[in-house]
Amino acid sequence: MAQAVSELSVQVSWGEIRGKVWGSDHGHPVLCLHGWADNCGTFNTLIPLLPKECRYLAVDLAGHGLSSHRPPGVFYSFPAYVADVRRVADALQLKKFTIIGHSMGADIAGMFSALYPEMVDALIFLDAYGFLPTDSREISKVMRQGIDEMHQFETKTEEKRRVYTYEKAVERSLAANPTLSKESVNILLERGLVQVEGGFVFSRDLRVNFKNIMRISVEQSLEMQSRIQASVLVVLSEGGFDRIFSETAQKKFSSTLLQCFRDRNHTVVTVAGGHHVHLNNPEAVAPFVSEFLQTKVLSQSDNREHKNTSNL
């Protein structure tokens, strides 16, 4: 029997954060955060394979999918997204929940769990490390680049968004995201396109393409990582994020972060596939995620309920 799926809308001061919900109101809450330039459709194929005892709340992050764009002059940054997660959690009255994050969504999840460790019981990172460190010597350069990109965007004359046929939009998406299958592109475009006169425009805010100006060093990343109280599962893909890193420093940072997770008895596994394997081939990822949810979340919840019943 298929899970019930419904639309989600959380009001924020600049508009709304939209998303989709799978499962019953009584299921254990699992917040799902997508990667950069994607939307909550990235979880469409994976969630139906996961335990039905959970309630999966997948959001379109600000500026993505069907969610409102940030106000003029406002940067897209990890701390801003973390604040959005807090807003969503408060609006949905989530006191303690699990987070599944892919890529950028995992970095947001890692930072949120470091800042609000008491609110997160388990963390699942899909082809990401929970933090994205930048070489300390590069931080000022990257910050300047992001500020310059915003400045240029604001000072040039208003450009009309390019209108595409659906076929051309698919073509462009495949070219920009070689790790996506055509079926996966079609799924993401359900929320990634808006129909206008003459065709379609991409729904995401152009400003999400600018460099994220809020950067942290590997030392800051490790300090934040140490504050996470949740159980952690890291699911890497053989042809994924680590392949994207061309700089030796970045590869060194990723191995350092992973080793620290292992040293704290967290789980790190690797599956065959590319950066979007959870969407292209969810059967490769689902068994690890399902077992983790069962052992680290659902069985723990059952144990607590049993103890509470025994104490009555």
Side-chain angles (χ1 to χ4, degrees), residues 7-10 16-20 58-60 66-67 191:
E7 272 291 311
L8 170 72
S9 176
V10 171
E16 61 180 344
I17 292 175
R18 294 277 297 274
K20 293 171 72 172
V59 298
D60 291 333
L66 302 180
S67 289
R191 303 175 79 86

Side-chain angles (χ1 to χ4, degrees), residues 241-256:
F241 210 33
D242 211 34
R243 287 278 185 91
I244 299 168
F245 283 150
S246 55
E247 298 173 28
T248 307
Q250 287 282 25
K251 288 185 187 294
K252 184 181 174 185
F253 293 160
S254 63
S255 61
T256 301

Side-chain angles (χ1 to χ4, degrees), residues 73 98 109 117 125 190:
T98 299
F125 299 143
E190 287 174 20

